[in-house]
Amino acid sequence: MGENSDTISMLSIFDNEEVGSGTKQGARSNFLRTVCERIATALGQDINEMLPSSFVISADNAHAVHPNHPEYADPTHRPFMNQGIVIKYNGDERYVTDGMSEAVFKRVCKASGVPTQTFSNRSDLMGGSTLGNLSTSQLSVSTVDVGLPQLAMHSSYETAGSMDTLYFERASAEFYRTKIQAVGDGVVTIK
């Protein structure tokens, strides 16, 4: 999948997300860290020196503004289906996006011609979380939480836009072609 010989591309799909990620193979386990340590060791590298130039896209779903319940959406962060990948923020850190990870992801999306939107829970309503904050508790790495906007998440009839799937495929391909390198404290180059 990755076309950049200067990087190591990985895809991690965790088990047990809906029933609890604390299993030995779940996002809260040390499975991802162990795999990364083994890769670093095989390359004769120190994982702690590799992590600053590592980047994770935690991909899940995102809430689109529901036409029957627009009052549940934050008034300034209102994602809609077929209008781009959603970058997710949460004041309680249930999503791990920060300014730097948002900028890196937007750069990848721009290079692939993919639009982005933002989502933030209304501060007076509880919201869910993603695997991003669970996995980064075991592996401290810059991460952006993203999703494809949909209606009726976790219902028997979830509805999503077909264009957003294409957008995510294009952004993912560009991400795997991209070299992201930490060159200083808070300074990143993207090639």
Side-chain angles (χ1 to χ4, degrees):
M1 193 171 200
E3 298 172 13
N4 189 329
S5 61
D6 293 332
T7 64
I8 299 169
S9 299
M10 291 180 64
L11 172 66
S12 301
I13 301 174
F14 292 105
D15 201 0
N16 308 116
E17 190 239 347
E18 294 300 335
V19 295
S21 295
T23 60
K24 68 184 180 308
Q25 68 274 14
R28 192 176 285 148
S29 73
N30 69 346
F31 180 76
L32 180 58
R33 181 170 187 86
T34 301
V35 169
C36 290
E37 287 173 343
R38 291 176 69 188
I39 291 170
T41 299
L43 294 171
Q45 301 289 318
D46 180 348
I47 188 172
N48 296 315
E49 293 176 8
M50 294 175 77
L51 289 178
S53 288
S54 298
F55 191 83
V56 172
I57 297 174
S58 175
D60 201 342
N61 294 316
H63 293 284
V65 175
H66 198 292
N68 293 334
H69 296 286
E71 70 276 9
Y72 291 129
D74 181 271
T76 57
H77 301 282
R78 303 176 67 82
F80 293 93
M81 293 184 299
N82 288 321
Q83 294 187 21
I85 299 172
V86 178
I87 301 171
K88 301 187 293 188
Y89 279 95
N90 183 288
D92 291 332
E93 299 297 321
R94 291 182 182 198
Y95 304 138
V96 293
T97 304
D98 60 20
M100 202 252 334
S101 65
E102 177 187 19
V104 169
F105 186 72
K106 279 186 169 181
R107 177 89 178 265
V108 167
C109 287
K110 183 176 182 181
S112 57
V114 171
T116 60
Q117 309 177 72
T118 57
F119 170 83
S120 180
N121 287 86
R122 270 185 33 194
S123 60
D124 60 334
L125 295 176
M126 284 292 293
S129 65
T130 65
L131 300 180
N133 69 335
L134 300 178
S135 60
T136 58
S137 69
Q138 296 292 325
L139 188 67
S140 182
V141 61
S142 183
T143 304
V144 63
D145 264 307
V146 303
L148 303 184
Q150 69 175 77
L151 302 177
M153 190 180 300
H154 300 294
S155 76
S156 58
Y157 291 102
E158 296 177 334
T159 303
S162 58
M163 283 303 301
D164 293 319
T165 303
L166 283 171
Y167 290 144
F168 191 70
E169 184 277 328
R170 287 183 7 210
S172 296
E174 182 65 26
F175 172 69
Y176 283 117
R177 285 191 291 269
T178 302
K179 180 179 180 181
I180 301 165
Q181 184 175 18
V183 293
D185 191 20
V187 180
V188 175
T189 61
I190 304 169
K191 299 178 185 174

